[in-house]
Amino acid sequence: MALQSKADKLNEKRAKVKLEKIWDVELYENPPFYSADWQAMRDEKHLALVEYKMSFKSLEVMSKEFPGFRIGTNKLQFAFPIVQLCNQNFYIVIEFPEGEMLQHKVRPGENKYQMTRFFKSRNGGSDRMPCYIIPWSLFEEVKPNEFNSTEL
């Protein structure tokens, strides 16, 4: 059974086009079950891996309910070795219903995250799993000049 609905895939495709335009990069889709949705590249050069999440709640509601964004430990367990080996950021992008997009950079040698548990499925169920909490203060708006550094 697929983890994403058709609506999820459509949102992801729309977000991909939007981010490619904002960042002026090509986002290459990764294979199913890969722990990052896209690889960001420009001129055949790897820039970052990107994980996209669509929230069905507004940022205002989410920030009142939770001290930060909850993400399964498997995503960051995958991200950390890549970040350390490539010395490049791993991006987590969240899009909210109003169209606002926030990004968090998992950076080499930075950020410590608190752990908790959350329901993976949207309908409750009994599939609680470990997750990290990324404080809202570590998120920023998606920026157009994100990959324009000469240090890349």
Side-chain angles (χ1 to χ4, degrees), residues 6 26 42 55 68 70 75 91 98 129 131 137 148:
K6 286 183 181 181
E26 289 185 64
R42 183 185 298 137
S55 174
R70 298 170 304 157
K75 294 293 180 186
Y91 284 72
E98 305 82 19
M129 62 184 279
C131 69
S137 62
N148 288 351

Side-chain angles (χ1 to χ4, degrees), residues 117-121 123-129:
R117 292 180 69 76
F118 77 124
F119 287 110
K120 187 171 180 176
S121 65
N123 60 1
S126 61
D127 59 346
R128 288 181 75 90
M129 62 184 279

Side-chain angles (χ1 to χ4, degrees), residues 47-62:
L47 302 172
L49 290 174
V50 181
E51 175 65 14
Y52 169 77
K53 298 292 183 189
M54 175 73 186
S55 174
F56 294 97
K57 295 180 180 181
S58 70
L59 175 57
E60 182 181 354
V61 169
M62 289 281 285

Side-chain angles (χ1 to χ4, degrees), residues 25 29-30 34 38 55 71 81 90 101 110 114 119 124 131:
V25 298
E29 195 168 323
N30 288 321
Y34 201 78
W38 307 304
S55 174
I71 189 164
F90 180 97
M101 292 180 107
E110 289 187 27
Q114 178 185 3
F119 287 110
C131 69

Side-chain angles (χ1 to χ4, degrees), residues 67-73 75-77 79-80 83-84 89-92 103-116 131-139:
F69 182 71
R70 298 170 304 157
I71 189 164
T73 56
K75 294 293 180 186
L76 294 187
Q77 285 170 321
F80 274 116
V83 165
Q84 296 300 330
N89 300 333
F90 180 97
Y91 284 72
I92 298 169
Q103 67 184 25
H104 170 65
K105 299 173 212 171
V106 178
R107 303 171 189 249
E110 289 187 27
N111 300 326
K112 303 271 188 276
Y113 305 103
Q114 178 185 3
M115 284 186 72
T116 188
C131 69
Y132 291 107
I133 300 173
I134 303 171
W136 294 114
S137 62
L138 296 179
F139 282 89

